[in-house]
Amino acid sequence: AQSVAQPEDQVNVAEGNPLTVKCTYSVSGNPYLFWYVQYPNRGLQFLLKYITGDNLVKGSYGFEAEFNKSQTSFHLKKPSALVSDSALYFCAVRDLYSSASKIIFGSGTRLSIRP
Amino acid sequence: NAGVTQTPKFQVLKTGQSMTLQCAQDMNHNSMYWYRQDPGMGLRLIYYSASEGTTDKGEVPNGYNVSRLNKREFSLRLESAAPSQTSVYFCASSPQSQPQHFGDGTRLSIL
């Protein structure tokens, strides 16, 4: 069975500091991993994905994510946070060779950046 | 760029009423999805359509029906609304390989 966990409901960071939003996953085969961001009253927007290859994936708005196979983690990172990064972030996973409908979303982490 | 368009944006229903949520995409994607988003629970898949003419149940299909009218449009129908169906509903589309593109949602309250 597939699962994804976002252990923190909320992450608070000062503007200019580095940020990390955590995600761990479980799949039976090879993972296909995603991060999405949701702003108030909007749908989810794709940030980045990992299929294979380099463990550090770069995405939109200066975000990156580090894939760690041994720890089954895919943490989202940014070197210097902006107030405009404040939003709800979702990690998602599916088995690479499963149907696209089998994607599972985490419960979300609210990121708050204080000026 | 319209992307995925959902109508209506807001709706209030009484228990037992029916309604259809509309979704259209202009990206020529084969796959379309309906999700509901509830606080602390992420997104849960209601129904999925891999291509025109096909639909499959997701994690929480009870109380809902769908129609894939053509490649562009995928509607979600509540035949007899219940308070437990109060939620934010998102439609999404994707090419064969994700990622998904989401609409801005329909906020549905059932009294």
Side-chain angles (χ1 to χ4, degrees), chain B residues 6-34:
Chain B
Q6 292 184 236
T7 56
K9 295 188 185 305
F10 304 93
Q11 185 70 47
V12 178
L13 294 177
K14 294 181 180 178
T15 298
Q17 287 185 314
S18 62
M19 84 161 292
T20 299
L21 281 61
Q22 307 287 352
C23 175
Q25 54 95 4
D26 62 1
M27 295 171 284
N28 202 37
H29 289 163
N30 284 321
S31 301
M32 296 187 74
Y33 315 73
W34 275 106

mmCIF file of all heavy atoms in Angstrom, chain B residues 6-34:
data_model
loop_
_atom_site.group_PDB
_atom_site.id
_atom_site.type_symbol
_atom_site.label_atom_id
_atom_site.label_comp_id
_atom_site.label_asym_id
_atom_site.label_seq_id
_atom_site.Cartn_x
_atom_site.Cartn_y
_atom_site.Cartn_z
ATOM 1 N N GLN B 6 -13.554 25.641 -13.431
ATOM 2 C CA GLN B 6 -14.620 25.006 -12.660
ATOM 3 C C GLN B 6 -15.750 26.001 -12.415
ATOM 4 O O GLN B 6 -15.513 27.168 -12.112
ATOM 5 C CB GLN B 6 -14.112 24.535 -11.292
ATOM 6 C CG GLN B 6 -13.141 23.399 -11.350
ATOM 7 C CD GLN B 6 -12.771 22.922 -9.960
ATOM 8 O OE1 GLN B 6 -11.598 22.876 -9.588
ATOM 9 N NE2 GLN B 6 -13.775 22.517 -9.183
ATOM 10 N N THR B 7 -16.989 25.511 -12.563
ATOM 11 C CA THR B 7 -18.154 26.312 -12.221
ATOM 12 C C THR B 7 -19.161 25.470 -11.468
ATOM 13 O O THR B 7 -19.284 24.263 -11.722
ATOM 14 C CB THR B 7 -18.824 26.884 -13.494
ATOM 15 O OG1 THR B 7 -19.141 25.802 -14.371
ATOM 16 C CG2 THR B 7 -17.944 27.891 -14.183
ATOM 17 N N PRO B 8 -19.886 26.059 -10.488
ATOM 18 C CA PRO B 8 -19.699 27.414 -9.966
ATOM 19 C C PRO B 8 -18.519 27.467 -8.999
ATOM 20 O O PRO B 8 -17.926 26.446 -8.685
ATOM 21 C CB PRO B 8 -21.014 27.652 -9.220
ATOM 22 C CG PRO B 8 -21.378 26.301 -8.682
ATOM 23 C CD PRO B 8 -20.957 25.331 -9.766
ATOM 24 N N LYS B 9 -18.179 28.639 -8.521
ATOM 25 C CA LYS B 9 -17.113 28.789 -7.524
ATOM 26 C C LYS B 9 -17.643 28.561 -6.113
ATOM 27 O O LYS B 9 -16.905 28.087 -5.238
ATOM 28 C CB LYS B 9 -16.492 30.171 -7.620
ATOM 29 C CG LYS B 9 -15.767 30.432 -8.921
ATOM 30 C CD LYS B 9 -15.018 31.742 -8.887
ATOM 31 C CE LYS B 9 -14.397 32.068 -10.233
ATOM 32 N NZ LYS B 9 -13.531 30.980 -10.732
ATOM 33 N N PHE B 10 -18.878 28.910 -5.872
ATOM 34 C CA PHE B 10 -19.510 28.734 -4.564
ATOM 35 C C PHE B 10 -20.931 28.227 -4.770
ATOM 36 O O PHE B 10 -21.583 28.584 -5.760
ATOM 37 C CB PHE B 10 -19.594 30.060 -3.780
ATOM 38 C CG PHE B 10 -18.287 30.741 -3.573
ATOM 39 C CD1 PHE B 10 -17.849 31.712 -4.466
ATOM 40 C CD2 PHE B 10 -17.490 30.425 -2.492
ATOM 41 C CE1 PHE B 10 -16.639 32.358 -4.275
ATOM 42 C CE2 PHE B 10 -16.278 31.067 -2.302
ATOM 43 C CZ PHE B 10 -15.852 32.028 -3.186
ATOM 44 N N GLN B 11 -21.410 27.414 -3.836
ATOM 45 C CA GLN B 11 -22.787 26.951 -3.898
ATOM 46 C C GLN B 11 -23.238 26.535 -2.506
ATOM 47 O O GLN B 11 -22.469 25.906 -1.770
ATOM 48 C CB GLN B 11 -22.916 25.767 -4.858
ATOM 49 C CG GLN B 11 -24.332 25.290 -5.095
ATOM 50 C CD GLN B 11 -25.141 26.290 -5.906
ATOM 51 O OE1 GLN B 11 -24.701 26.807 -6.921
ATOM 52 N NE2 GLN B 11 -26.350 26.569 -5.445
ATOM 53 N N VAL B 12 -24.477 26.901 -2.178
ATOM 54 C CA VAL B 12 -25.091 26.439 -0.932
ATOM 55 C C VAL B 12 -26.322 25.630 -1.317
ATOM 56 O O VAL B 12 -27.155 26.089 -2.110
ATOM 57 C CB VAL B 12 -25.504 27.615 -0.017
ATOM 58 C CG1 VAL B 12 -26.174 27.085 1.243
ATOM 59 C CG2 VAL B 12 -24.286 28.455 0.350
ATOM 60 N N LEU B 13 -26.423 24.427 -0.782
ATOM 61 C CA LEU B 13 -27.545 23.543 -1.069
ATOM 62 C C LEU B 13 -28.238 23.145 0.224
ATOM 63 O O LEU B 13 -27.631 23.185 1.296
ATOM 64 C CB LEU B 13 -27.069 22.255 -1.750
ATOM 65 C CG LEU B 13 -26.469 22.328 -3.128
ATOM 66 C CD1 LEU B 13 -26.014 20.929 -3.565
ATOM 67 C CD2 LEU B 13 -27.463 22.892 -4.129
ATOM 68 N N LYS B 14 -29.479 22.719 0.076
ATOM 69 C CA LYS B 14 -30.170 22.106 1.206
ATOM 70 C C LYS B 14 -30.033 20.595 1.079
ATOM 71 O O LYS B 14 -29.905 20.050 -0.028
ATOM 72 C CB LYS B 14 -31.642 22.499 1.195
ATOM 73 C CG LYS B 14 -31.866 23.997 1.442
ATOM 74 C CD LYS B 14 -33.349 24.322 1.433
ATOM 75 C CE LYS B 14 -33.571 25.804 1.687
ATOM 76 N NZ LYS B 14 -35.012 26.167 1.649
ATOM 77 N N THR B 15 -30.075 19.920 2.213
ATOM 78 C CA THR B 15 -30.006 18.458 2.206
ATOM 79 C C THR B 15 -31.077 17.887 1.277
ATOM 80 O O THR B 15 -32.238 18.303 1.321
ATOM 81 C CB THR B 15 -30.209 17.919 3.634
ATOM 82 O OG1 THR B 15 -29.146 18.404 4.466
ATOM 83 C CG2 THR B 15 -30.210 16.407 3.650
ATOM 84 N N GLY B 16 -30.638 16.957 0.424
ATOM 85 C CA GLY B 16 -31.559 16.306 -0.499
ATOM 86 C C GLY B 16 -31.598 16.920 -1.891
ATOM 87 O O GLY B 16 -32.080 16.282 -2.831
ATOM 88 N N GLN B 17 -31.089 18.140 -2.029
ATOM 89 C CA GLN B 17 -31.060 18.751 -3.347
ATOM 90 C C GLN B 17 -29.974 18.108 -4.203
ATOM 91 O O GLN B 17 -29.035 17.489 -3.691
ATOM 92 C CB GLN B 17 -30.790 20.263 -3.243
ATOM 93 C CG GLN B 17 -31.978 21.049 -2.730
ATOM 94 C CD GLN B 17 -31.720 22.545 -2.756
ATOM 95 O OE1 GLN B 17 -30.660 23.017 -2.329
ATOM 96 N NE2 GLN B 17 -32.689 23.306 -3.238
ATOM 97 N N SER B 18 -30.107 18.288 -5.507
ATOM 98 C CA SER B 18 -29.101 17.758 -6.427
ATOM 99 C C SER B 18 -28.424 18.909 -7.151
ATOM 100 O O SER B 18 -28.978 20.011 -7.246
ATOM 101 C CB SER B 18 -29.739 16.811 -7.436
ATOM 102 O OG SER B 18 -30.682 17.507 -8.223
ATOM 103 N N MET B 19 -27.217 18.654 -7.607
ATOM 104 C CA MET B 19 -26.534 19.639 -8.436
ATOM 105 C C MET B 19 -25.371 18.992 -9.173
ATOM 106 O O MET B 19 -24.912 17.906 -8.789
ATOM 107 C CB MET B 19 -26.044 20.829 -7.619
ATOM 108 C CG MET B 19 -24.723 20.661 -6.936
ATOM 109 S SD MET B 19 -23.990 22.253 -6.492
ATOM 110 C CE MET B 19 -23.621 22.944 -8.101
ATOM 111 N N THR B 20 -24.943 19.678 -10.218
ATOM 112 C CA THR B 20 -23.813 19.215 -11.022
ATOM 113 C C THR B 20 -22.715 20.257 -11.003
ATOM 114 O O THR B 20 -22.964 21.436 -11.256
ATOM 115 C CB THR B 20 -24.254 18.951 -12.467
ATOM 116 O OG1 THR B 20 -25.253 17.938 -12.474
ATOM 117 C CG2 THR B 20 -23.075 18.493 -13.305
ATOM 118 N N LEU B 21 -21.506 19.814 -10.688
ATOM 119 C CA LEU B 21 -20.320 20.661 -10.762
ATOM 120 C C LEU B 21 -19.674 20.453 -12.126
ATOM 121 O O LEU B 21 -19.472 19.308 -12.553
ATOM 122 C CB LEU B 21 -19.325 20.296 -9.661
ATOM 123 C CG LEU B 21 -19.590 20.820 -8.247
ATOM 124 C CD1 LEU B 21 -20.895 20.302 -7.695
ATOM 125 C CD2 LEU B 21 -18.434 20.436 -7.328
ATOM 126 N N GLN B 22 -19.360 21.562 -12.781
ATOM 127 C CA GLN B 22 -18.812 21.493 -14.124
ATOM 128 C C GLN B 22 -17.295 21.711 -14.116
ATOM 129 O O GLN B 22 -16.778 22.476 -13.309
ATOM 130 C CB GLN B 22 -19.462 22.551 -15.018
ATOM 131 C CG GLN B 22 -20.979 22.528 -15.048
ATOM 132 C CD GLN B 22 -21.538 21.351 -15.826
ATOM 133 O OE1 GLN B 22 -20.793 20.614 -16.477
ATOM 134 N NE2 GLN B 22 -22.845 21.165 -15.744
ATOM 135 N N CYS B 23 -16.627 21.047 -15.034
ATOM 136 C CA CYS B 23 -15.182 21.203 -15.185
ATOM 137 C C CYS B 23 -14.827 21.092 -16.660
ATOM 138 O O CYS B 23 -15.304 20.180 -17.342
ATOM 139 C CB CYS B 23 -14.446 20.129 -14.393
ATOM 140 S SG CYS B 23 -12.651 20.133 -14.629
ATOM 141 N N ALA B 24 -13.976 22.006 -17.123
ATOM 142 C CA ALA B 24 -13.509 21.957 -18.503
ATOM 143 C C ALA B 24 -12.030 22.313 -18.542
ATOM 144 O O ALA B 24 -11.584 23.194 -17.815
ATOM 145 C CB ALA B 24 -14.307 22.918 -19.368
ATOM 146 N N GLN B 25 -11.295 21.609 -19.408
ATOM 147 C CA GLN B 25 -9.864 21.909 -19.584
ATOM 148 C C GLN B 25 -9.575 22.114 -21.071
ATOM 149 O O GLN B 25 -10.180 21.490 -21.926
ATOM 150 C CB GLN B 25 -8.995 20.782 -18.983
ATOM 151 C CG GLN B 25 -9.305 19.382 -19.493
ATOM 152 C CD GLN B 25 -8.461 18.898 -20.625
ATOM 153 O OE1 GLN B 25 -7.513 19.570 -21.063
ATOM 154 N NE2 GLN B 25 -8.775 17.698 -21.125
ATOM 155 N N ASP B 26 -8.617 23.011 -21.319
ATOM 156 C CA ASP B 26 -8.291 23.359 -22.708
ATOM 157 C C ASP B 26 -6.863 22.968 -23.058
ATOM 158 O O ASP B 26 -6.248 23.569 -23.944
ATOM 159 C CB ASP B 26 -8.535 24.847 -22.948
ATOM 160 C CG ASP B 26 -7.659 25.741 -22.077
ATOM 161 O OD1 ASP B 26 -6.841 25.211 -21.293
ATOM 162 O OD2 ASP B 26 -7.812 26.971 -22.161
ATOM 163 N N MET B 27 -6.309 21.975 -22.361
ATOM 164 C CA MET B 27 -4.916 21.577 -22.571
ATOM 165 C C MET B 27 -4.794 20.258 -23.326
ATOM 166 O O MET B 27 -3.698 19.699 -23.433
ATOM 167 C CB MET B 27 -4.214 21.475 -21.209
ATOM 168 C CG MET B 27 -4.111 22.825 -20.505
ATOM 169 S SD MET B 27 -3.538 22.709 -18.805
ATOM 170 C CE MET B 27 -5.031 22.119 -18.013
ATOM 171 N N ASN B 28 -5.908 19.749 -23.815
ATOM 172 C CA ASN B 28 -5.928 18.518 -24.579
ATOM 173 C C ASN B 28 -5.418 17.313 -23.771
ATOM 174 O O ASN B 28 -4.822 16.384 -24.323
ATOM 175 C CB ASN B 28 -5.111 18.650 -25.880
ATOM 176 C CG ASN B 28 -5.535 17.634 -26.924
ATOM 177 O OD1 ASN B 28 -6.717 17.310 -27.058
ATOM 178 N ND2 ASN B 28 -4.580 17.123 -27.671
ATOM 179 N N HIS B 29 -5.677 17.357 -22.455
ATOM 180 C CA HIS B 29 -5.250 16.250 -21.598
ATOM 181 C C HIS B 29 -6.221 15.084 -21.692
ATOM 182 O O HIS B 29 -7.429 15.271 -21.776
ATOM 183 C CB HIS B 29 -5.167 16.710 -20.142
ATOM 184 C CG HIS B 29 -4.032 17.629 -19.875
ATOM 185 N ND1 HIS B 29 -3.965 18.417 -18.734
ATOM 186 C CD2 HIS B 29 -2.893 17.893 -20.570
ATOM 187 C CE1 HIS B 29 -2.840 19.115 -18.760
ATOM 188 N NE2 HIS B 29 -2.177 18.820 -19.865
ATOM 189 N N ASN B 30 -5.666 13.874 -21.626
ATOM 190 C CA ASN B 30 -6.524 12.687 -21.633
ATOM 191 C C ASN B 30 -7.183 12.438 -20.281
ATOM 192 O O ASN B 30 -8.327 12.046 -20.196
ATOM 193 C CB ASN B 30 -5.718 11.449 -22.021
ATOM 194 C CG ASN B 30 -5.428 11.407 -23.507
ATOM 195 O OD1 ASN B 30 -6.274 11.759 -24.323
ATOM 196 N ND2 ASN B 30 -4.242 10.968 -23.857
ATOM 197 N N SER B 31 -6.409 12.609 -19.211
ATOM 198 C CA SER B 31 -6.891 12.226 -17.878
ATOM 199 C C SER B 31 -7.502 13.402 -17.138
ATOM 200 O O SER B 31 -6.977 14.514 -17.164
ATOM 201 C CB SER B 31 -5.728 11.665 -17.043
ATOM 202 O OG SER B 31 -5.163 10.549 -17.670
ATOM 203 N N MET B 32 -8.614 13.109 -16.456
ATOM 204 C CA MET B 32 -9.266 14.118 -15.620
ATOM 205 C C MET B 32 -9.682 13.487 -14.300
ATOM 206 O O MET B 32 -9.915 12.269 -14.223
ATOM 207 C CB MET B 32 -10.467 14.735 -16.348
ATOM 208 C CG MET B 32 -10.058 15.496 -17.604
ATOM 209 S SD MET B 32 -11.397 16.416 -18.384
ATOM 210 C CE MET B 32 -11.587 17.809 -17.246
ATOM 211 N N TYR B 33 -9.762 14.316 -13.266
ATOM 212 C CA TYR B 33 -9.962 13.833 -11.893
ATOM 213 C C TYR B 33 -10.926 14.760 -11.151
ATOM 214 O O TYR B 33 -10.948 15.961 -11.405
ATOM 215 C CB TYR B 33 -8.640 13.863 -11.106
ATOM 216 C CG TYR B 33 -7.422 13.328 -11.802
ATOM 217 C CD1 TYR B 33 -6.798 14.041 -12.823
ATOM 218 C CD2 TYR B 33 -6.850 12.117 -11.399
ATOM 219 C CE1 TYR B 33 -5.663 13.564 -13.444
ATOM 220 C CE2 TYR B 33 -5.710 11.634 -12.019
ATOM 221 C CZ TYR B 33 -5.126 12.368 -13.036
ATOM 222 O OH TYR B 33 -3.984 11.891 -13.652
ATOM 223 N N TRP B 34 -11.622 14.188 -10.190
ATOM 224 C CA TRP B 34 -12.376 14.971 -9.213
ATOM 225 C C TRP B 34 -11.893 14.595 -7.815
ATOM 226 O O TRP B 34 -11.846 13.406 -7.460
ATOM 227 C CB TRP B 34 -13.876 14.718 -9.303
ATOM 228 C CG TRP B 34 -14.567 15.557 -10.321
ATOM 229 C CD1 TRP B 34 -15.046 15.173 -11.535
ATOM 230 C CD2 TRP B 34 -14.880 16.950 -10.201
ATOM 231 N NE1 TRP B 34 -15.613 16.225 -12.189
ATOM 232 C CE2 TRP B 34 -15.529 17.340 -11.387
ATOM 233 C CE3 TRP B 34 -14.668 17.914 -9.210
ATOM 234 C CZ2 TRP B 34 -15.979 18.642 -11.612
ATOM 235 C CZ3 TRP B 34 -15.106 19.199 -9.427
ATOM 236 C CH2 TRP B 34 -15.763 19.560 -10.621
#
